[in-house]
Amino acid sequence: MPGIDKLPIEETLEDSPQTRSLLGVFEEDAAAISNYINQLFQAMHRIYDAQNELSAATHLTSKLLKEYEKQRFPLGGDDEVMTSTLQQFAKVIDELSSCHAVLSTQLADAMMFPITQFKERDLKEILTLKEVFQIASNDHDAAITRYSRLSKRKENEKIKAEVTEDVYTSRKKQHQTMMHYFCALNTLQYKKKISLLEPLLGYMQAQISFFKMGSENLTEQLEEFLTNIGTSVQNVRREMDCEVENMQQTIEDLEVASDPLYLPDPDPTKFPAHRNLTRKAGYLNARNKTGLVSSSWERQFYFTQGGNLMSQARGDVAGGLVMDIDNCSVMAVDCEDRRYCFQITSFDGKKSSILQAESKKDYEEWICTINNISKQIYLSENPEEIAARVNQSALEAVTPSPSFQQRHESLRPAVQSRPPAARTSSTGSLGSDSAALSALSLDSLVAPDTPIQFDIISPVSEDLPGQAKSSGQSGRRTNPFGESGGSKPETEDSILHQLFIVRFLGSMEVRSDESPDVVYETMRQILAARAIHNVFRMTESHLLVTCDCLKLIDPQTQVTRLRFPLPNVVLYATHQENKRLFGFVLRTSGGRVESRQTSICYIFESNNEGEKICDSLGLAKQIALHAELDRKASEKQKEIDRVKEKQQKELNKQKQIEKDLEEQSRLIAASSRSNQSSTEGQFVILSSSQSEDSDLGEDGKKKRESEA
C-alpha cells in the first residue's frame, strides 16, 4: 500500500544509530496512535452507552404507557379514547425500542468489538515487544562490554568461551526480538487505518439499518394516526385557552361582585339573610369548655346533611357528626365575650352546642336553617315553599324541644285517617310510591294478614315462636375487654368490620324478594301501622356488618340480639326519599308454614344515610363471593396435589419393586459365577497334580508311594 512507512528489517542485525533513530520515530507514532485510540474508544463507548440507555428508556416509556389503564387518578375517570391512544403509542414505541435494541447489538458487534480488539490486543502487543526488545538490547550491550574487557594475554579459555557464548546468545535474542518488534510496528501502520475505518463503517451500517427499520415501521397509517393526534392536541389546546380566558373573566367578575363581601360583616340592607334555607354550610366558632368557668373557641367548617349537623376540620377527608338536629331547639344566646352566638339543643335535651357566626347575616341564616330542619321541612317535596310560611324572629328563633312521642308523631303517614281498604292508592308522609309499584298488585308483595313485629326479642327475654330460628340469633355476649372467653368469635377473621347505629322499626313476612318495591311497601305499611297503633318506642342497636353475617348488638350489654347470615340476605334498599330509612329481606327456612322457605323484611332507621349501610352490605357480599371462589380454587388445588402425591407414591413403589428384582437377579448371577469358579478351581488342581506326576516319571511315583 503506497504511502506506508516501514522499518528496515534487513538492518536489524547491524543496529545502526540511523536505525535506532528511525525506530524512535515509529515508537512516538505508536504512542500517539495509542493516545488517540483511547480517546476515540471513550467517545464510541459513550455512543454505545447512550444507545443502551435510549433503548432502556424507550422500553420503560412503552411499559408505563401500557400501565396507564391500570392507574386510578383521583380526578380522572375511565377515558377510553385516551387509553386506546396511549396503547397505540405504546405499541409504536415498543417497536422503536426493539429497533433501538437491535441497533445496540449492531454497535456492540460492528463498532465496539474492532476498536476494543485493536486497543486490548495490538497496542498491548506493541508495548510488550518494546519491553522485551529493551531488555534484549540491554543484555546484548552488557555481553559486548564483557567481551571487550578480555585481555590480550593468554587467559582461561573457559571464561573466554562463556563470554563468547553470552555474546552469541544475546545478539541472537536481540536480533530476533528486534525483527519481531519492527514487524509489529510496520503492521501497526496498517492496523491503525483498519482500527479507525472498521468501527466507523460498522457504526454507519448500523445506523443505516436502524433507519431502514424505522422507515418500515413508520408507515402511512402511522403518519395518519400521528396527524389525527396532532389535530386532537391542537383542539385540546384551543379548548384550554378558551377555558382559561373564561376563568379569567369569571375571576374578574367575582372580584367585582365579591368586593363588598370581603368585609367580615357586610351591610344587611344590601345583603339580606335568606330565611327559607334547608341547607347551610360555612365556618363557625364552637365553644369548648376547658374548666368549670373557662372555655375556648375552635374554628371549624360546619354543614347540614339531611337532619344532621356535621363538622369538618381543614385537611380532613370527610366530616363527622356533631348532632342530630331533627326536632332540636335553636335560640340566640348572649355570650359575654362574643357576638352572633346561638345555641342548639338536641330533642332530648342531653346535648347542646354554642356556636358563633362570623356576621349577622350568617347568624340569622344559621338560626333559620336549623329551625327549618328541626321541623323536618327538608323531608317534604317543596321545602323552600314550606319554609317560606314559617314566620319567626331571626334573633330569638326558638324551637321548643318536643317530647319523644311528638317526635315520632311527625312520622305518621298522611293517610292515617283513611280507611285501610285504600292502601293500594295511599302515599306515605315520607314520599310517594314508585311508578313500578303502582303498576303491581301490592297483595302480591305483602300478604294482607301478615303480622308486624315492632320490637326485637333479645336473647335474655322470652323467644317468640320461630323468631330466633328465622333470625339465626346467637345470644353470645361480646367481651368488651377483648378477651376470648373460651371461644373465638366467628367474625374475628373477617376482613370487613363496619358498625352503624340503627333503630328497629319493624319486620314482617313478605311474599316476594325479587324487587326493591317489596322493601318500599314494607316501609310504608310498618310506618302506617306504627302511627295507627300509636307505637312510638324504637329499640336502638349497633348493626355490625361483616363478611359472614349481620349482627344487631345491644349498645349497653354488648349482647347479640339478632344474627342474620349474609348468604340469607337476598335484597336490601333505602327509601326513595328519606335516605335514613333502609331495609333488607332475609330468606329463612321455616315460618308460619313449616318445611318451606319464607322471606322476612326488616326495616330500620339510621343516624347516617342508609345508602352507606347498603354499600357496606354490597361490599360484604362481594368479599364473601371472592373468598368462596378462593376457597373452592384452594380445595381443587389441594385435590390435584393429593392425586399427584398418590401417583408419585405409586411410581416410587414401582421403582422400588424394579430395584428389588434387579438386586435379586444380581445376587443369583453372582452365586452362579462363584459356583462355576469353584468348579474350575478343582479342575485346575486336579490337572496340576496329574502334570506333576507325569514329570516325576516312574521314579517319582515309586518315591511318592514309598513316602505314602
Side-chain angles (χ1 to χ4, degrees), residues 181-405:
Y181 186 36
F182 278 23
C183 179
L185 289 174
N186 291 337
T187 308
L188 182 64
Q189 299 302 313
Y190 293 92
K191 288 184 177 180
K192 72 177 182 180
K193 298 180 182 297
I194 297 173
S195 64
L196 292 175
L197 296 177
E198 275 190 350
L200 296 176
L201 180 62
Y203 172 75
M204 296 307 298
Q205 289 177 347
Q207 292 290 347
I208 291 172
S209 176
F210 171 73
F211 287 122
K212 284 183 178 179
M213 287 189 296
S215 63
E216 292 175 357
N217 292 330
L218 298 176
T219 58
E220 295 181 357
Q221 182 179 0
L222 181 58
E223 292 178 358
E224 182 181 357
F225 169 72
L226 296 177
T227 303
N228 295 334
I229 296 301
T231 304
S232 300
V233 170
Q234 294 299 326
N235 293 335
V236 173
R237 186 177 297 276
R238 283 194 296 269
E239 184 178 352
M240 180 190 67
D241 295 339
C242 182
E243 184 64 25
V244 170
E245 184 178 354
N246 293 336
M247 287 189 293
Q248 292 292 340
Q249 184 63 37
T250 303
I251 291 174
E252 294 177 1
D253 297 340
L254 289 176
E255 286 179 351
V256 175
S258 303
D259 186 69
L261 299 178
Y262 293 151
L263 295 172
D265 195 1
D267 188 0
T269 59
K270 296 181 179 179
F271 300 95
H274 298 282
R275 303 181 182 276
N276 305 329
L277 299 176
T278 56
R279 289 184 301 174
K280 179 69 176 172
Y283 281 96
L284 295 173
N285 293 324
R287 183 180 181 180
N288 300 320
K289 288 186 178 182
T290 57
L292 293 177
V293 294
S294 60
S295 61
S296 63
W297 295 83
E298 183 181 3
R299 188 169 184 262
Q300 282 190 342
F301 186 81
Y302 285 80
F303 60 95
T304 61
Q305 189 177 58
N308 297 323
L309 179 64
M310 314 289 287
S311 68
Q312 183 175 358
R314 183 172 296 176
D316 290 350
V317 179
L321 178 65
V322 177
M323 186 184 302
D324 183 359
I325 54 178
D326 275 348
N327 296 319
C328 71
S329 64
V330 56
M331 65 180 67
V333 294
D334 186 13
C335 293
E336 296 178 357
D337 56 343
R338 298 277 175 154
R339 301 181 302 166
Y340 308 136
C341 295
F342 57 96
Q343 180 176 352
I344 308 173
T345 306
S346 61
F347 75 96
D348 53 4
K350 294 181 180 180
K351 189 174 183 181
S352 64
S353 297
I354 296 179
L355 305 173
Q356 180 199 16
E358 189 176 84
S359 63
K360 186 176 181 180
K361 175 178 177 294
D362 285 343
Y363 165 74
E364 295 178 358
E365 286 183 352
W366 272 107
I367 290 177
C368 294
T369 302
I370 294 175
N371 186 58
N372 294 336
I373 294 175
S374 68
K375 295 180 176 297
Q376 297 185 350
I377 298 177
Y378 68 95
L379 296 176
S380 59
E381 295 182 357
N382 298 315
E384 293 186 0
E385 294 182 2
I386 298 177
R389 303 170 189 170
V390 180
N391 187 9
Q392 295 179 337
S393 174
L395 296 177
E396 299 179 356
V398 179
T399 300
S401 177
S403 64
F404 189 84
Q405 179 175 353

Side-chain angles (χ1 to χ4, degrees), residues 386-594:
I386 298 177
R389 303 170 189 170
V390 180
N391 187 9
Q392 295 179 337
S393 174
L395 296 177
E396 299 179 356
V398 179
T399 300
S401 177
S403 64
F404 189 84
Q405 179 175 353
Q406 291 173 343
R407 181 185 183 214
H408 294 287
E409 284 179 351
S410 60
L411 295 176
R412 292 189 178 185
V415 296
Q416 63 182 18
S417 60
R418 298 182 183 180
R423 183 180 60 179
T424 56
S425 60
S426 63
T427 57
S429 63
L430 300 178
S432 60
D433 296 334
S434 62
L437 185 60
S438 62
L440 296 173
S441 174
L442 298 181
D443 290 340
S444 64
L445 302 177
V446 180
D449 57 346
T450 302
I452 298 176
Q453 184 73 36
F454 291 112
D455 200 358
I456 296 176
I457 301 176
S458 61
V460 297
S461 63
E462 185 180 359
D463 295 340
L464 288 179
Q467 178 66 22
K469 295 180 180 180
S470 63
S471 303
Q473 60 189 17
S474 61
R476 183 176 55 192
R477 178 174 179 140
T478 303
N479 194 335
F481 299 101
E483 299 175 356
S484 60
S487 62
K488 184 178 179 181
E490 62 181 2
T491 60
E492 184 176 347
D493 297 333
S494 179
I495 300 176
L496 183 67
H497 284 83
Q498 290 191 351
L499 196 67
F500 302 95
I501 299 176
V502 297
R503 287 171 292 277
F504 181 70
L505 295 179
S507 64
M508 61 187 299
E509 184 177 339
V510 295
R511 291 185 175 181
S512 174
D513 54 12
E514 298 177 354
S515 172
D517 297 331
V518 178
V519 180
Y520 305 150
E521 175 62 16
T522 306
M523 289 179 181
R524 192 192 69 80
Q525 291 200 21
I526 288 178
L527 291 176
R530 293 179 73 93
I532 292 171
H533 298 287
N534 295 324
V535 179
F536 304 111
R537 185 171 64 88
M538 292 188 295
T539 304
E540 186 173 281
S541 304
H542 289 174
L543 178 64
L544 178 63
V545 181
T546 68
C547 300
D548 300 324
C549 63
L550 307 181
K551 282 188 177 183
L552 281 179
I553 303 173
D554 189 293
Q556 301 296 330
T557 62
Q558 297 298 313
V559 172
T560 301
R561 291 172 170 166
L562 289 177
R563 180 184 178 277
F564 308 101
L566 190 63
N568 294 354
V569 179
V570 295
L571 182 65
Y572 47 89
T574 60
H575 196 275
Q576 293 169 310
E577 296 180 3
N578 185 2
K579 299 303 181 181
R580 299 177 65 184
L581 298 179
F582 78 97
F584 59 85
V585 178
L586 186 74
R587 184 179 296 170
T588 61
S589 58
R592 291 183 298 170
V593 180
E594 295 295 336

